[in-house]
Amino acid sequence: MKIRRCLVFFSLYRCDENPAVYDLHLVSPDGMTYSQPSIVNGRTDVVSVTPWLAPVVWEGTFSATLLDGIYQRQNISVAATVFAVGKYIMFLKDFLETAEQHFFVGFRVHIYVFTDRPNEVPEVKMGAGREVTVQSVPSSNRWQEISARRMELIQKLIEERLINKVNYIFCLDVDSKFHGRWGAESLGGLVSVIHPGYYKDDRSKFPYERRPTSRAFVAPADGDFYYCGGAFGGLVQEVHLLAKTCRKNFEDDAKDGIEAAWQEESHLNRYMWINKPSKVLSPEYLWQDFKPKEPEIKIIRFSGVIKNYAAIRPN
Ligand code: UD2
């Protein structure tokens, strides 16, 4: 009895000191009812665990009620970053309005909007416990730089405002809309989303950076999945390390006169090959509107809108 009390005290103490422990200690709220889980019946059309035993989240593999109960009890806070530089500001209204309907509903959410057009940020009514902060950033005449500089700005945001204050963060593309629940099932230490464009391809076909001179290099026989640059997240400490590493590698490459094939997405893929994500989100979590729905996609939760690159990018 004595030992047990001591363990409980230890875990609570650690939770207060280090939010990273929250992810490991899942307490079910009293009186929670949900369908009995089965270990012999479930999705058979998709793989729901990686070779390093991280869950791959698909509709039908989790109980939303149970997960909401567990994480609401922890009173977690979730930050999200979204960049709307130049003409991409046009996507922000739909992004924010649909986030209100589907993104961590019932949780404390703080969305950080980075833009060079703060006066054009739309007014969107936010629910209780949810807020938006607008941060000004310089514009650029190269879209590649806007996309890649996100890692630096995410690193700084975490260092200056989030570390030890917020539990989780997700970094999302603005030219997208939420269509279905994106909630506590997506929480994890390091979280990555499988890109909808390549998930049935052989790894040798993935658009990784293939030049060995780049710090984003992945050899043709290497790589697990091709992950999206447009959505990733996890505990703020983990995302801080990811952003800091990808930023440094991107900048060191630039000093050597090399830019990875898909900018920060290439560096993210290299990072995830070495540092395995502890939770992988299926392409339900970032689909593309121009792609017909595949049979294994039971729900599209978040999807990139169709856009005319020539009309909206600065170069
Ligand atoms: C892919 C990735 C994107 C990024 C890029 C490589 C997905 C769905 N998208 O999309 O995340 O890794 O390849 O660089 O995985 N932005 C602006 N203003 C601009 C240009 C970009 O604000 O003028 C921001 C905006 O938040 C946008 C993001 O950067 O959502 C990515 O740019 P993109 O959507 O043009 O990149 P794309 O479609 O090639």
Side-chain angles (χ1 to χ4, degrees), residues 82-89 91 114 140 142-144 146-148 150 172-176 195-196 227-231 261-266 286-288 304 307 309 312-314:
V82 66
F83 288 73
V85 179
K87 291 185 183 161
Y88 278 61
I89 193 83
F91 301 114
F114 292 82
S140 167
R142 282 190 76 234
W143 67 265
Q144 295 89 337
I146 297 169
S147 188
R150 290 185 292 177
L172 304 168
D173 269 9
V174 73
D175 53 316
S176 329
H195 197 292
Y227 300 107
C228 292
W262 288 100
Q263 296 79 38
E264 84 302 337
E265 184 174 86
S266 304
L286 188 35
W287 198 249
Q288 286 167 327
K307 58 187 198 269
Y309 283 105
I312 53 167
R313 280 178 167 172

Side-chain angles (χ1 to χ4, degrees), residues 19-76:
V21 182
Y22 284 142
D23 197 44
L24 305 175
H25 192 109
L26 306 180
V27 180
S28 186
D30 287 340
M32 173 118 282
T33 51
Y34 55 96
S35 310
Q36 180 187 349
S38 170
I39 54 159
V40 287
N41 293 315
R43 291 279 302 254
T44 53
D45 56 339
V46 291
V47 173
S48 57
V49 67
T50 67
W52 58 96
L53 298 181
V56 184
V57 183
W58 295 92
E59 178 70 358
T61 61
F62 61 89
S63 163
T65 315
L66 174 60
L67 284 161
D68 282 350
I70 290 171
Y71 285 97
Q72 266 158 3
R73 200 176 173 279
Q74 293 184 4
N75 193 24
I76 58 156

Side-chain angles (χ1 to χ4, degrees), residues 76-80 103-104 107-110 166 168-170 187:
I76 58 156
S77 52
V78 180
F103 185 71
F104 282 96
F107 287 87
R108 290 188 289 143
V109 171
H110 196 147
V166 170
Y168 296 94
I169 180 169
F170 286 92
L187 297 174

Side-chain angles (χ1 to χ4, degrees), residues 72 76-80 95-112 124-133 172 178 182-183:
Q72 266 158 3
I76 58 156
S77 52
V78 180
F95 175 93
L96 292 173
E97 282 178 355
T98 59
E100 271 304 280
Q101 291 157 22
H102 301 292
F103 185 71
F104 282 96
V105 175
F107 287 87
R108 290 188 289 143
V109 171
H110 196 147
I111 300 181
Y112 292 87
V124 172
K125 195 172 158 17
M126 306 294 287
R130 301 171 69 91
E131 60 182 307
V132 172
T133 294
L172 304 168
F178 292 87
W182 179 323

